[in-house]
Amino acid sequence: MKAKHQRLTLAVLALVALIGAGLLAAFALKDQASYFYTPSDIATKNPEVGTAIRLGGMVEVGSVKKADDGVTVQFVVQDGTARQNVMYTGITPDLFVEGSGVVADGKLDADGLFIADTLLAKHDENYVPRELEGIDMSSTSKVEDTLVQ
Amino acid sequence: MHAYANPTRFLALAKPLTAWLLVGGILFAVIGAGYGLFFAPADRLMGESVRIMYIHVPTVWLSMGGWTGIAIASIMQLVWRHPLAAVAARAIAVPGALFTAFGLITGSIWARPTWGTWWVWDGRVTSVLVLFFLYLAYIALANASGEKGGVSRVTAIFGIVGAINIPIINRSVVWWNSLHQKASITVSGSSIDNAFLWPLGFTVSGFSLIFGAIVLMRMRAILAETKIEARLRRMTAE
């Protein structure tokens, strides 16, 4: 009986130490393990012009402008506090819509414009059937749709 | 629990239970997947690709549930010396690894049309890949331990230590900016519309029952193997 209790105490202590260590490590990784910078991060950390960074946030509603060449888009990524102008040339993912999440690889130019090489769409945790949202995806270009959040 | 420490008593229960779990699981999974594929609506943004969810969510849930099972069994092995605990942990490892691989593959297929890429090294995807490698390491360690049907104490300790990855996977989308979205189903409710939620509930329960059936099958196979080994050893000794 006594040996069993000893093992139980040992196991509980080991578990507590393990969880503590794991939490500390995860917390220390907070900045390094993040997949992207938010516009606020860029504003506070001031990354150098030309260094490769990844920017993530929401596409500001009404900010997407298509250039005349048809493949270049300019838009604003915001996180509620800061805004960042982004330019991307290429095919945008299906889920790239105003008011939705986006993650872009690229770098800042001298004027503070973010030049994106790749663009990934970030889906949020809401799953809504098409019928309920009342958006006809076939008739209009997605970029022009204004999503009511 | 110690009532089932006797393998004969355990086997008498496990044999009919395996069949029930398997039949029930297949029934639930077929209903859920069938409804999800043919009748559930398309998502407002993702369109038809949302249907991968009915396979992706259950497999990833079981990959995490599987390791949680290994950790609980490992504690039971180390603290209470339950004779079936190590057998159970060993039985979970292979289907656990398989379901993790399914989760990663379905996630990758889903990511291509949704995010625009097959793979990203964000917190969620990377921590699940680590879980897959942990399973492989556990299987290697269990196979090398050569304990009668069970696993060595080092393997059990590895099973407990590896469990630290489970809360990390769960929290990865909260602690770190990630491309993977945050949890849809939380204690405060679900942000998945009911039209998607019902078939998802069916596939999650169905896959869970099938997983349970596989684990029981493997436990029975491991016990049968040890019995054969013991008999062979007795025969050569005579």
Side-chain angles (χ1 to χ4, degrees):
Chain A
M1 256 305 142
K2 202 161 167 267
K4 189 200 279 183
H5 287 143
Q6 229 166 27
R7 292 199 297 267
L8 185 62
T9 324
L10 195 67
V12 168
L13 282 178
L15 266 183
V16 169
L18 186 69
I19 291 169
L23 284 179
L24 281 177
F27 200 74
L29 271 172
K30 205 166 167 44
D31 281 337
Q32 283 77 16
S34 276
Y35 190 61
F36 53 77
Y37 276 1
T38 60
S40 318
D41 290 336
I42 288 186
T44 52
K45 284 173 189 158
N46 265 323
E48 269 177 56
V49 170
T51 42
I53 46 175
R54 202 180 275 133
L55 165 74
M58 305 303 267
V59 181
E60 196 171 83
V61 175
S63 72
V64 177
K65 286 180 202 73
K66 275 211 163 182
D68 291 333
D69 64 1
V71 286
T72 303
V73 281
Q74 270 217 35
F75 53 94
V76 174
V77 172
Q78 52 94 10
D79 60 0
T81 48
R83 302 165 82 248
Q84 174 65 49
N85 279 306
V86 181
M87 192 172 84
Y88 173 69
T89 305
I91 298 163
T92 58
D94 286 359
L95 258 69
F96 176 75
V97 287
E98 294 184 344
S100 193
V102 72
V103 174
D105 284 356
K107 44 189 176 289
L108 286 171
D109 74 0
D111 306 324
L113 178 69
F114 188 87
I115 312 291
D117 314 316
T118 59
L119 205 62
L120 300 179
K122 182 170 152 71
H123 186 256
D124 65 10
E125 63 271 31
N126 298 307
Y127 292 77
V128 182
R130 224 174 241 175
E131 293 77 21
L132 292 189
E133 197 66 14
I135 296 174
D136 186 1
M137 306 293 272
S138 53
S139 63
T140 49
S141 122
K142 279 170 217 157
V143 171
E144 285 153 18
D145 279 334
T146 310
L147 291 176
V148 186
Q149 292 283 320
Chain B
M1 271 330 267
H2 273 82
Y4 295 103
N6 179 346
T8 326
R9 205 178 287 176
F10 167 77
L11 286 173
L13 179 82
K15 205 175 168 190
L17 197 59
T18 309
W20 278 109
L21 288 179
L22 193 64
V23 171
I26 290 174
L27 198 70
F28 272 62
V30 166
I31 293 174
Y35 185 88
L37 274 180
F38 299 110
F39 302 106
D43 181 73
R44 134 192 92 134
L45 294 174
M46 287 185 282
E48 305 293 338
S49 69
V50 71
R51 301 181 198 285
I52 301 175
M53 174 172 73
Y54 304 117
I55 306 295
H56 178 69
V57 172
T59 50
V60 179
W61 140 245
L62 283 163
S63 72
M64 294 167 71
W67 197 284
T68 311
I70 288 181
I72 292 170
S74 301
I75 293 173
M76 286 182 72
Q77 178 190 346
L78 291 179
V79 176
W80 288 281
R81 301 270 154 89
H82 193 289
L84 281 178
V87 176
R90 177 175 225 163
I92 292 172
V94 171
L98 192 70
F99 275 65
T100 313
F102 281 155
L104 286 167
I105 293 166
T106 52
S108 178
I109 294 171
W110 199 4
R112 184 64 193 83
T114 310
W115 296 342
T117 178
W118 294 104
W119 188 265
V120 288
W121 293 102
D122 83 338
R124 174 58 67 84
V125 182
T126 310
S127 55
V128 175
L129 184 69
V130 168
L131 177 66
F132 179 63
F133 291 147
L134 285 176
Y135 269 116
L136 296 188
Y138 184 92
I139 292 167
L141 213 52
N143 287 345
S145 54
E147 228 97 331
K148 272 186 290 174
V151 294
S152 63
R153 286 166 77 180
V154 175
T155 315
I157 291 170
F158 179 72
I160 298 171
V161 173
I164 191 64
N165 195 28
I166 299 301
I168 292 178
I169 292 176
N170 181 269
R171 296 283 93 192
S172 59
V173 289
V174 181
W175 287 339
W176 310 310
N177 295 328
S178 62
L179 191 57
H180 194 285
Q181 73 275 14
K182 292 189 169 49
S184 293
I185 300 170
T186 55
V187 278
S188 56
S190 158
S191 54
I192 301 181
D193 191 88
N194 277 340
F196 304 115
L197 205 56
W198 282 113
L200 184 62
F202 267 93
T203 53
V204 167
S205 2
F207 275 66
S208 306
L209 293 178
I210 293 171
F211 191 89
I214 297 173
V215 170
L216 284 183
M217 278 180 215
R218 282 186 45 78
M219 285 181 76
R220 287 165 58 199
I222 292 168
L223 288 174
E225 235 165 60
T226 27
K227 213 185 258 178
I228 293 170
E229 267 171 29
R231 199 166 291 172
L232 283 175
R233 218 172 291 131
R234 265 204 311 278
M235 281 165 70
T236 45
E238 270 169 15

Short mmCIF file of all heavy atoms in Angstrom, two decimals, chain B residues 165-221:
data_model
loop_
_atom_site.label_atom_id
_atom_site.label_comp_id
_atom_site.label_asym_id
_atom_site.label_seq_id
_atom_site.Cartn_x
_atom_site.Cartn_y
_atom_site.Cartn_z
N ASN B 165 2.44 17.52 -25.19
CA ASN B 165 2.13 18.08 -26.52
C ASN B 165 0.62 18.28 -26.73
O ASN B 165 0.22 19.10 -27.55
CB ASN B 165 2.70 17.15 -27.60
CG ASN B 165 2.74 17.80 -28.96
OD1 ASN B 165 2.85 19.01 -29.06
ND2 ASN B 165 2.63 17.00 -30.00
N ILE B 166 -0.21 17.54 -25.98
CA ILE B 166 -1.66 17.60 -26.21
C ILE B 166 -2.22 19.00 -25.86
O ILE B 166 -2.88 19.62 -26.70
CB ILE B 166 -2.38 16.48 -25.43
CG1 ILE B 166 -1.90 15.11 -25.91
CG2 ILE B 166 -3.89 16.58 -25.60
CD1 ILE B 166 -2.12 14.85 -27.39
N PRO B 167 -1.96 19.53 -24.64
CA PRO B 167 -2.42 20.91 -24.39
C PRO B 167 -1.76 21.93 -25.31
O PRO B 167 -2.37 22.95 -25.64
CB PRO B 167 -2.06 21.16 -22.92
CG PRO B 167 -1.12 20.09 -22.55
CD PRO B 167 -1.42 18.93 -23.42
N ILE B 168 -0.52 21.65 -25.75
CA ILE B 168 0.15 22.60 -26.67
C ILE B 168 -0.60 22.64 -27.99
O ILE B 168 -0.86 23.70 -28.55
CB ILE B 168 1.63 22.21 -26.87
CG1 ILE B 168 2.40 22.44 -25.57
CG2 ILE B 168 2.25 23.01 -28.01
CD1 ILE B 168 3.84 22.04 -25.62
N ILE B 169 -1.00 21.45 -28.51
CA ILE B 169 -1.78 21.41 -29.76
C ILE B 169 -3.07 22.19 -29.58
O ILE B 169 -3.45 23.03 -30.39
CB ILE B 169 -2.10 19.96 -30.17
CG1 ILE B 169 -0.84 19.22 -30.57
CG2 ILE B 169 -3.11 19.94 -31.32
CD1 ILE B 169 -1.07 17.76 -30.89
N ASN B 170 -3.73 21.93 -28.44
CA ASN B 170 -5.02 22.57 -28.18
C ASN B 170 -4.89 24.09 -28.10
O ASN B 170 -5.72 24.82 -28.62
CB ASN B 170 -5.60 22.01 -26.88
CG ASN B 170 -6.94 22.61 -26.56
OD1 ASN B 170 -7.02 23.62 -25.85
ND2 ASN B 170 -7.99 22.03 -27.10
N ARG B 171 -3.83 24.59 -27.45
CA ARG B 171 -3.68 26.02 -27.23
C ARG B 171 -2.91 26.73 -28.33
O ARG B 171 -2.79 27.95 -28.32
CB ARG B 171 -2.95 26.27 -25.88
CG ARG B 171 -3.71 25.81 -24.66
CD ARG B 171 -4.83 26.75 -24.29
NE ARG B 171 -6.10 26.32 -24.91
CZ ARG B 171 -7.17 27.07 -24.94
NH1 ARG B 171 -7.16 28.27 -24.43
NH2 ARG B 171 -8.27 26.63 -25.52
N SER B 172 -2.33 25.93 -29.27
CA SER B 172 -1.43 26.54 -30.26
C SER B 172 -2.06 27.68 -31.04
O SER B 172 -1.39 28.64 -31.41
CB SER B 172 -0.93 25.46 -31.23
OG SER B 172 -2.02 24.86 -31.88
N VAL B 173 -3.39 27.59 -31.28
CA VAL B 173 -4.03 28.63 -32.07
C VAL B 173 -4.37 29.86 -31.21
O VAL B 173 -4.76 30.90 -31.74
CB VAL B 173 -5.30 28.10 -32.76
CG1 VAL B 173 -4.93 27.16 -33.88
CG2 VAL B 173 -6.23 27.43 -31.78
N VAL B 174 -4.25 29.70 -29.87
CA VAL B 174 -4.56 30.83 -28.99
C VAL B 174 -3.27 31.56 -28.62
O VAL B 174 -3.19 32.79 -28.63
CB VAL B 174 -5.28 30.33 -27.71
CG1 VAL B 174 -5.63 31.50 -26.80
CG2 VAL B 174 -6.53 29.55 -28.08
N TRP B 175 -2.23 30.78 -28.29
CA TRP B 175 -0.96 31.37 -27.84
C TRP B 175 -0.23 32.09 -28.96
O TRP B 175 0.37 33.12 -28.78
CB TRP B 175 -0.03 30.28 -27.29
CG TRP B 175 -0.45 29.75 -25.97
CD1 TRP B 175 -1.28 30.36 -25.06
CD2 TRP B 175 -0.07 28.51 -25.39
NE1 TRP B 175 -1.43 29.55 -23.96
CE2 TRP B 175 -0.70 28.42 -24.14
CE3 TRP B 175 0.76 27.46 -25.81
CZ2 TRP B 175 -0.52 27.34 -23.29
CZ3 TRP B 175 0.93 26.38 -24.97
CH2 TRP B 175 0.29 26.32 -23.73
N TRP B 176 -0.22 31.47 -30.15
CA TRP B 176 0.57 32.01 -31.24
C TRP B 176 -0.34 32.37 -32.40
O TRP B 176 -1.32 31.69 -32.66
CB TRP B 176 1.60 30.95 -31.71
CG TRP B 176 2.39 30.37 -30.59
CD1 TRP B 176 3.05 31.07 -29.63
CD2 TRP B 176 2.59 28.99 -30.29
NE1 TRP B 176 3.66 30.20 -28.76
CE2 TRP B 176 3.39 28.92 -29.15
CE3 TRP B 176 2.19 27.80 -30.90
CZ2 TRP B 176 3.80 27.72 -28.58
CZ3 TRP B 176 2.59 26.61 -30.33
CH2 TRP B 176 3.38 26.57 -29.19
N ASN B 177 0.01 33.43 -33.11
CA ASN B 177 -0.69 33.72 -34.36
C ASN B 177 -0.51 32.52 -35.26
O ASN B 177 0.61 32.09 -35.49
CB ASN B 177 -0.08 34.94 -35.05
CG ASN B 177 -0.27 36.19 -34.25
OD1 ASN B 177 -1.27 36.32 -33.55
ND2 ASN B 177 0.69 37.09 -34.32
N SER B 178 -1.59 31.97 -35.79
CA SER B 178 -1.43 30.80 -36.65
C SER B 178 -2.35 30.95 -37.85
O SER B 178 -3.28 31.75 -37.85
CB SER B 178 -1.77 29.52 -35.88
OG SER B 178 -3.12 29.57 -35.47
N LEU B 179 -2.05 30.17 -38.88
CA LEU B 179 -2.92 30.21 -40.06
C LEU B 179 -4.18 29.40 -39.80
O LEU B 179 -5.25 29.70 -40.29
CB LEU B 179 -2.16 29.67 -41.28
CG LEU B 179 -2.84 29.90 -42.63
CD1 LEU B 179 -3.10 31.37 -42.87
CD2 LEU B 179 -1.98 29.36 -43.76
N HIS B 180 -4.04 28.34 -39.00
CA HIS B 180 -5.19 27.53 -38.63
C HIS B 180 -6.14 28.37 -37.78
O HIS B 180 -5.69 29.12 -36.92
CB HIS B 180 -4.72 26.30 -37.87
CG HIS B 180 -5.77 25.23 -37.72
ND1 HIS B 180 -6.81 25.34 -36.85
CD2 HIS B 180 -5.94 24.05 -38.34
CE1 HIS B 180 -7.57 24.26 -36.94
NE2 HIS B 180 -7.07 23.46 -37.84
N GLN B 181 -7.44 28.25 -38.01
CA GLN B 181 -8.39 29.04 -37.24
C GLN B 181 -8.48 28.55 -35.81
O GLN B 181 -8.03 27.47 -35.47
CB GLN B 181 -9.77 29.01 -37.89
CG GLN B 181 -10.52 27.71 -37.75
CD GLN B 181 -10.15 26.70 -38.82
OE1 GLN B 181 -9.17 26.86 -39.50
NE2 GLN B 181 -10.94 25.66 -38.95
N LYS B 182 -9.08 29.38 -34.96
CA LYS B 182 -9.25 29.01 -33.56
C LYS B 182 -10.33 27.93 -33.43
O LYS B 182 -11.01 27.63 -34.40
CB LYS B 182 -9.64 30.25 -32.75
CG LYS B 182 -8.50 31.26 -32.66
CD LYS B 182 -8.83 32.35 -31.68
CE LYS B 182 -7.62 33.21 -31.36
NZ LYS B 182 -6.88 33.68 -32.55
N ALA B 183 -10.46 27.39 -32.21
CA ALA B 183 -11.42 26.31 -31.98
C ALA B 183 -12.84 26.80 -32.27
O ALA B 183 -13.21 27.91 -31.88
CB ALA B 183 -11.32 25.81 -30.56
N SER B 184 -13.63 25.96 -32.97
CA SER B 184 -15.00 26.32 -33.27
C SER B 184 -15.94 25.89 -32.16
O SER B 184 -16.96 26.51 -31.91
CB SER B 184 -15.45 25.66 -34.58
OG SER B 184 -14.73 26.19 -35.66
N ILE B 185 -15.59 24.77 -31.50
CA ILE B 185 -16.45 24.25 -30.45
C ILE B 185 -15.75 24.45 -29.12
O ILE B 185 -14.69 23.89 -28.88
CB ILE B 185 -16.77 22.77 -30.69
CG1 ILE B 185 -17.47 22.61 -32.05
CG2 ILE B 185 -17.64 22.21 -29.58
CD1 ILE B 185 -17.62 21.19 -32.50
N THR B 186 -16.29 25.34 -28.30
CA THR B 186 -15.70 25.63 -27.00
C THR B 186 -16.76 25.44 -25.94
O THR B 186 -17.91 25.13 -26.25
CB THR B 186 -15.17 27.08 -26.95
OG1 THR B 186 -16.24 27.96 -27.29
CG2 THR B 186 -14.05 27.30 -27.94
N VAL B 187 -16.39 25.68 -24.68
CA VAL B 187 -17.36 25.51 -23.60
C VAL B 187 -18.52 26.48 -23.74
O VAL B 187 -19.62 26.21 -23.27
CB VAL B 187 -16.70 25.68 -22.20
CG1 VAL B 187 -16.02 24.41 -21.79
CG2 VAL B 187 -15.77 26.86 -22.18
N SER B 188 -18.29 27.61 -24.41
CA SER B 188 -19.37 28.59 -24.51
C SER B 188 -20.27 28.32 -25.71
O SER B 188 -21.16 29.11 -26.01
CB SER B 188 -18.78 30.00 -24.60
OG SER B 188 -17.88 30.07 -25.68
N GLY B 189 -20.03 27.23 -26.43
CA GLY B 189 -20.92 26.89 -27.54
C GLY B 189 -20.15 26.63 -28.81
O GLY B 189 -18.93 26.52 -28.81
N SER B 190 -20.89 26.54 -29.91
CA SER B 190 -20.28 26.20 -31.18
C SER B 190 -20.50 27.32 -32.19
O SER B 190 -21.59 27.88 -32.26
CB SER B 190 -20.90 24.90 -31.70
OG SER B 190 -20.73 24.81 -33.09
N SER B 191 -19.46 27.64 -32.95
CA SER B 191 -19.63 28.62 -34.02
C SER B 191 -19.78 27.91 -35.36
O SER B 191 -19.64 28.50 -36.42
CB SER B 191 -18.45 29.59 -34.06
OG SER B 191 -17.25 28.89 -34.14
N ILE B 192 -20.06 26.60 -35.30
CA ILE B 192 -20.38 25.85 -36.51
C ILE B 192 -21.90 25.76 -36.59
O ILE B 192 -22.55 25.40 -35.61
CB ILE B 192 -19.77 24.42 -36.45
CG1 ILE B 192 -18.26 24.49 -36.30
CG2 ILE B 192 -20.16 23.62 -37.69
CD1 ILE B 192 -17.59 23.14 -36.25
N ASP B 193 -22.44 26.11 -37.73
CA ASP B 193 -23.89 26.08 -37.88
C ASP B 193 -24.42 24.65 -37.69
O ASP B 193 -23.75 23.68 -38.02
CB ASP B 193 -24.27 26.59 -39.27
CG ASP B 193 -25.76 26.82 -39.39
OD1 ASP B 193 -26.20 27.93 -39.05
OD2 ASP B 193 -26.48 25.89 -39.81
N ASN B 194 -25.64 24.54 -37.13
CA ASN B 194 -26.23 23.23 -36.84
C ASN B 194 -26.27 22.32 -38.06
O ASN B 194 -26.16 21.10 -37.93
CB ASN B 194 -27.64 23.40 -36.30
CG ASN B 194 -27.61 23.69 -34.81
OD1 ASN B 194 -26.62 23.39 -34.15
ND2 ASN B 194 -28.66 24.27 -34.28
N ALA B 195 -26.42 22.91 -39.25
CA ALA B 195 -26.49 22.11 -40.47
C ALA B 195 -25.21 21.31 -40.69
O ALA B 195 -25.24 20.24 -41.27
CB ALA B 195 -26.74 23.02 -41.67
N PHE B 196 -24.06 21.84 -40.21
CA PHE B 196 -22.79 21.11 -40.31
C PHE B 196 -22.56 20.25 -39.08
O PHE B 196 -21.87 19.25 -39.12
CB PHE B 196 -21.60 22.08 -40.42
CG PHE B 196 -21.67 23.05 -41.55
CD1 PHE B 196 -21.78 24.40 -41.33
CD2 PHE B 196 -21.60 22.59 -42.87
CE1 PHE B 196 -21.82 25.31 -42.38
CE2 PHE B 196 -21.64 23.49 -43.93
CZ PHE B 196 -21.76 24.84 -43.68
N LEU B 197 -23.12 20.72 -37.94
CA LEU B 197 -22.78 20.13 -36.65
C LEU B 197 -23.33 18.72 -36.49
O LEU B 197 -22.66 17.85 -35.93
CB LEU B 197 -23.29 21.04 -35.54
CG LEU B 197 -22.57 20.96 -34.20
CD1 LEU B 197 -21.09 21.21 -34.38
CD2 LEU B 197 -23.17 21.97 -33.23
N TRP B 198 -24.54 18.47 -37.01
CA TRP B 198 -25.15 17.15 -36.81
C TRP B 198 -24.37 16.04 -37.49
O TRP B 198 -23.97 15.07 -36.84
CB TRP B 198 -26.61 17.16 -37.28
CG TRP B 198 -27.48 17.81 -36.26
CD1 TRP B 198 -28.15 18.99 -36.39
CD2 TRP B 198 -27.74 17.37 -34.92
NE1 TRP B 198 -28.81 19.31 -35.23
CE2 TRP B 198 -28.58 18.34 -34.30
CE3 TRP B 198 -27.33 16.26 -34.17
CZ2 TRP B 198 -29.02 18.22 -32.99
CZ3 TRP B 198 -27.79 16.14 -32.87
CH2 TRP B 198 -28.61 17.11 -32.30
N PRO B 199 -24.06 16.16 -38.81
CA PRO B 199 -23.25 15.09 -39.42
C PRO B 199 -21.87 14.97 -38.77
O PRO B 199 -21.34 13.87 -38.64
CB PRO B 199 -23.15 15.51 -40.89
CG PRO B 199 -23.64 16.91 -40.95
CD PRO B 199 -24.53 17.13 -39.79
N LEU B 200 -21.32 16.12 -38.33
CA LEU B 200 -20.00 16.07 -37.69
C LEU B 200 -20.06 15.25 -36.40
O LEU B 200 -19.19 14.43 -36.12
CB LEU B 200 -19.51 17.49 -37.40
CG LEU B 200 -18.10 17.60 -36.81
CD1 LEU B 200 -17.08 17.03 -37.79
CD2 LEU B 200 -17.74 19.03 -36.47
N GLY B 201 -21.14 15.46 -35.62
CA GLY B 201 -21.32 14.68 -34.40
C GLY B 201 -21.38 13.19 -34.69
O GLY B 201 -20.79 12.38 -33.97
N PHE B 202 -22.05 12.84 -35.78
CA PHE B 202 -22.16 11.43 -36.16
C PHE B 202 -20.80 10.85 -36.55
O PHE B 202 -20.45 9.76 -36.11
CB PHE B 202 -23.16 11.26 -37.31
CG PHE B 202 -24.55 10.98 -36.86
CD1 PHE B 202 -25.46 12.00 -36.66
CD2 PHE B 202 -24.94 9.66 -36.59
CE1 PHE B 202 -26.75 11.73 -36.22
CE2 PHE B 202 -26.23 9.39 -36.16
CZ PHE B 202 -27.14 10.43 -35.96
N THR B 203 -20.02 11.57 -37.38
CA THR B 203 -18.74 10.99 -37.78
C THR B 203 -17.77 10.95 -36.60
O THR B 203 -17.01 10.00 -36.47
CB THR B 203 -18.09 11.76 -38.96
OG1 THR B 203 -18.01 13.13 -38.65
CG2 THR B 203 -18.85 11.56 -40.24
N VAL B 204 -17.82 11.97 -35.72
CA VAL B 204 -16.92 11.95 -34.57
C VAL B 204 -17.23 10.75 -33.68
O VAL B 204 -16.34 9.98 -33.30
CB VAL B 204 -17.00 13.27 -33.76
CG1 VAL B 204 -16.31 13.13 -32.42
CG2 VAL B 204 -16.36 14.41 -34.54
N SER B 205 -18.53 10.51 -33.38
CA SER B 205 -18.85 9.34 -32.53
C SER B 205 -18.55 8.05 -33.28
O SER B 205 -18.04 7.09 -32.69
CB SER B 205 -20.30 9.35 -32.05
OG SER B 205 -21.02 10.42 -32.54
N GLY B 206 -18.86 8.02 -34.58
CA GLY B 206 -18.62 6.80 -35.35
C GLY B 206 -17.14 6.43 -35.39
O GLY B 206 -16.78 5.30 -35.08
N PHE B 207 -16.28 7.40 -35.74
CA PHE B 207 -14.84 7.14 -35.78
C PHE B 207 -14.31 6.76 -34.40
O PHE B 207 -13.43 5.92 -34.28
CB PHE B 207 -14.09 8.38 -36.31
CG PHE B 207 -14.02 8.45 -37.81
CD1 PHE B 207 -15.16 8.64 -38.56
CD2 PHE B 207 -12.80 8.33 -38.47
CE1 PHE B 207 -15.10 8.71 -39.94
CE2 PHE B 207 -12.74 8.39 -39.86
CZ PHE B 207 -13.89 8.59 -40.59
N SER B 208 -14.86 7.38 -33.33
CA SER B 208 -14.41 7.06 -31.98
C SER B 208 -14.72 5.61 -31.65
O SER B 208 -13.89 4.90 -31.06
CB SER B 208 -15.06 7.98 -30.95
OG SER B 208 -14.85 9.32 -31.29
N LEU B 209 -15.94 5.16 -32.00
CA LEU B 209 -16.31 3.76 -31.73
C LEU B 209 -15.42 2.81 -32.52
O LEU B 209 -14.96 1.79 -31.98
CB LEU B 209 -17.78 3.53 -32.09
CG LEU B 209 -18.81 4.27 -31.22
CD1 LEU B 209 -20.22 3.98 -31.71
CD2 LEU B 209 -18.67 3.90 -29.75
N ILE B 210 -15.15 3.15 -33.80
CA ILE B 210 -14.27 2.30 -34.61
C ILE B 210 -12.88 2.24 -33.98
O ILE B 210 -12.25 1.18 -33.89
CB ILE B 210 -14.20 2.83 -36.06
CG1 ILE B 210 -15.57 2.69 -36.75
CG2 ILE B 210 -13.13 2.09 -36.85
CD1 ILE B 210 -15.65 3.37 -38.10
N PHE B 211 -12.39 3.41 -33.51
CA PHE B 211 -11.07 3.46 -32.86
C PHE B 211 -11.06 2.53 -31.65
O PHE B 211 -10.13 1.74 -31.46
CB PHE B 211 -10.78 4.90 -32.43
CG PHE B 211 -9.36 5.15 -32.00
CD1 PHE B 211 -8.41 5.52 -32.92
CD2 PHE B 211 -8.98 5.01 -30.67
CE1 PHE B 211 -7.10 5.75 -32.54
CE2 PHE B 211 -7.68 5.24 -30.28
CZ PHE B 211 -6.73 5.61 -31.22
N GLY B 212 -12.14 2.60 -30.84
CA GLY B 212 -12.24 1.73 -29.67
C GLY B 212 -12.21 0.26 -30.08
O GLY B 212 -11.54 -0.56 -29.44
N ALA B 213 -12.91 -0.07 -31.17
CA ALA B 213 -12.95 -1.46 -31.63
C ALA B 213 -11.55 -1.91 -32.06
O ALA B 213 -11.11 -3.02 -31.73
CB ALA B 213 -13.93 -1.59 -32.80
N ILE B 214 -10.81 -1.03 -32.77
CA ILE B 214 -9.46 -1.40 -33.21
C ILE B 214 -8.56 -1.65 -32.00
O ILE B 214 -7.79 -2.61 -31.96
CB ILE B 214 -8.86 -0.28 -34.10
CG1 ILE B 214 -9.69 -0.10 -35.37
CG2 ILE B 214 -7.41 -0.59 -34.45
CD1 ILE B 214 -9.27 1.10 -36.22
N VAL B 215 -8.69 -0.78 -30.98
CA VAL B 215 -7.85 -0.93 -29.79
C VAL B 215 -8.15 -2.27 -29.10
O VAL B 215 -7.23 -3.01 -28.72
CB VAL B 215 -8.06 0.26 -28.82
CG1 VAL B 215 -7.39 -0.01 -27.48
CG2 VAL B 215 -7.53 1.54 -29.43
N LEU B 216 -9.45 -2.61 -28.96
CA LEU B 216 -9.80 -3.88 -28.32
C LEU B 216 -9.28 -5.06 -29.13
O LEU B 216 -8.74 -6.03 -28.57
CB LEU B 216 -11.32 -3.99 -28.16
CG LEU B 216 -11.93 -3.16 -27.03
CD1 LEU B 216 -13.43 -3.42 -26.95
CD2 LEU B 216 -11.27 -3.49 -25.70
N MET B 217 -9.40 -4.97 -30.47
CA MET B 217 -8.88 -6.05 -31.33
C MET B 217 -7.39 -6.24 -31.10
O MET B 217 -6.90 -7.36 -30.98
CB MET B 217 -9.09 -5.69 -32.80
CG MET B 217 -10.47 -5.97 -33.34
SD MET B 217 -10.46 -5.46 -35.08
CE MET B 217 -12.10 -4.87 -35.25
N ARG B 218 -6.68 -5.12 -31.07
CA ARG B 218 -5.22 -5.20 -30.91
C ARG B 218 -4.85 -5.71 -29.53
O ARG B 218 -3.90 -6.48 -29.38
CB ARG B 218 -4.57 -3.84 -31.19
CG ARG B 218 -4.45 -3.55 -32.67
CD ARG B 218 -3.67 -2.28 -32.95
NE ARG B 218 -2.45 -2.12 -32.17
CZ ARG B 218 -1.30 -2.74 -32.44
NH1 ARG B 218 -1.22 -3.55 -33.45
NH2 ARG B 218 -0.26 -2.54 -31.67
N MET B 219 -5.62 -5.32 -28.50
CA MET B 219 -5.35 -5.83 -27.15
C MET B 219 -5.52 -7.34 -27.11
O MET B 219 -4.71 -8.06 -26.53
CB MET B 219 -6.29 -5.16 -26.13
CG MET B 219 -5.93 -3.73 -25.79
SD MET B 219 -7.06 -3.01 -24.58
CE MET B 219 -6.48 -3.81 -23.06
N ARG B 220 -6.59 -7.81 -27.78
CA ARG B 220 -6.84 -9.27 -27.80
C ARG B 220 -5.73 -9.97 -28.55
O ARG B 220 -5.27 -11.05 -28.14
CB ARG B 220 -8.20 -9.55 -28.45
CG ARG B 220 -9.36 -9.19 -27.53
CD ARG B 220 -10.66 -9.12 -28.29
NE ARG B 220 -10.98 -10.37 -28.96
CZ ARG B 220 -11.86 -10.47 -29.96
NH1 ARG B 220 -12.48 -9.39 -30.40
NH2 ARG B 220 -12.10 -11.63 -30.50
N ALA B 221 -5.28 -9.37 -29.65
CA ALA B 221 -4.20 -9.98 -30.42
C ALA B 221 -2.91 -10.05 -29.61
O ALA B 221 -2.21 -11.07 -29.62
CB ALA B 221 -3.98 -9.19 -31.71
#
